[in-house]
Amino acid sequence: MKKCFAAMLMLVLTTFSFAQEDTTQVQNLVLRTNTISTSALYTMFGMLNVNYGKIINNGKNEFQIMAGTFGYEDSFIEDDTWDSSLDDGVMYGAKGASSFKATYRSYSKESAKGLFYQGELTIFSISWGHKTGVGEWNDVTSVSYDPTVALGYKYVPSFLFKERLFIETYVGASYSMFTPEDGDITLRDDEGEAQGGNEIQPQFNLFIGFDF
């Protein structure tokens, strides 16, 4: 009986010891101040992208810089050219596009997770062109500027990768300023509608990443 009681006592003490050690590890967990992530939505639409973040002020604020690209073609290939259906003899084409985004974020609490709001500026560059009849292609580069405000939530599952993995999403609105023009030519879609203009647009995104 004494041996059985002693074994049970050792088991309880060992379990308590491990539990106390785990609690100490959680209490002494150091906030990781670098993040790397990618937009799942941008990736779904063919954009290779990477987003780097720097957490400051004990996790109360964060700076982010993002770069992405759809890639570029050396010339206007058939799959990426179209006419405007306006019978004006003008053909349009796209070679590629890339973007750059800078973000400043504030969390409702420290530790860089949970509810947040942010402001960001996205610069989007598109390489397109046009030609009339059998003439040569004219290359054009147009840039859009999209300041955005958004509200979001960052979820850090405690049971995966020692709280290194995170998932975050946000919704907001941006004011897009885009003028894809070349002289008298304005970029149009295959239904003849002119592209660009200044307008308010809804924003939604979903990121998956890691802290380090």
Side-chain angles (χ1 to χ4, degrees):
M1 179 67 71
K2 289 183 178 180
K3 290 184 179 180
C4 182
F5 177 79
M8 291 178 63
L9 181 61
M10 286 297 296
L11 178 61
V12 170
L13 291 176
T14 302
T15 303
F16 177 78
S17 175
F18 278 116
Q20 189 177 38
E21 181 180 355
D22 290 343
T23 302
T24 302
Q25 288 177 355
V26 171
Q27 289 176 345
N28 294 334
L29 185 63
V30 177
L31 178 67
R32 291 178 285 269
T33 59
N34 299 281
T35 69
I36 193 79
S37 61
T38 187
S39 166
L41 293 186
Y42 290 167
T43 302
M44 286 175 57
F45 286 102
M47 173 185 278
L48 298 176
N49 65 92
V50 62
N51 189 55
Y52 169 76
K54 182 66 177 179
I55 297 170
I56 59 174
N57 298 334
N58 294 322
K60 186 67 175 177
N61 305 103
E62 183 177 357
F63 292 99
Q64 294 183 355
I65 296 177
M66 178 179 179
T69 182
F70 286 102
Y72 288 86
E73 300 289 343
D74 294 330
S75 59
F76 294 99
I77 61 176
E78 184 177 353
D79 290 342
D80 293 325
T81 60
W82 64 93
D83 63 60
S84 64
S85 303
L86 297 179
D87 296 326
D88 54 5
V90 179
M91 289 284 296
Y92 300 91
K95 282 186 175 180
S98 58
S99 70
F100 173 85
K101 179 166 70 74
T103 302
Y104 181 75
R105 173 183 296 178
S106 290
Y107 292 92
S108 60
K109 298 179 180 180
E110 294 184 350
S111 75
K113 59 184 177 181
L115 191 67
F116 65 81
Y117 61 91
Q118 67 183 35
E120 61 184 44
L121 174 64
T122 301
I123 300 175
F124 191 81
S125 175
I126 177 172
S127 178
W128 63 283
H130 61 88
K131 72 173 184 176
T132 303
V134 295
E136 297 294 326
W137 282 99
N138 297 286
D139 287 280
V140 186
T141 298
S142 297
V143 178
S144 73
Y145 301 90
D146 298 76
T148 301
V149 291
L151 179 68
Y153 191 88
K154 181 178 180 180
Y155 173 59
V156 182
S158 59
F159 54 89
L160 289 175
F161 303 104
K162 298 182 179 179
E163 297 191 10
R164 290 181 179 271
L165 175 72
F166 65 84
I167 302 170
E168 60 185 35
T169 185
Y170 64 78
V171 294
S174 66
Y175 184 71
S176 179
M177 297 169 281
F178 186 39
T179 310
E181 297 177 345
D182 182 35
D184 296 333
I185 300 294
T186 298
L187 179 62
R188 298 180 181 274
D189 62 19
D190 56 5
E191 295 181 352
E193 183 176 350
Q195 302 299 291
N198 300 334
E199 58 183 357
I200 296 176
Q201 297 180 340
Q203 291 291 332
F204 171 75
N205 221 322
L206 174 67
F207 283 83
I208 302 173
F210 284 90
D211 295 331
F212 64 95

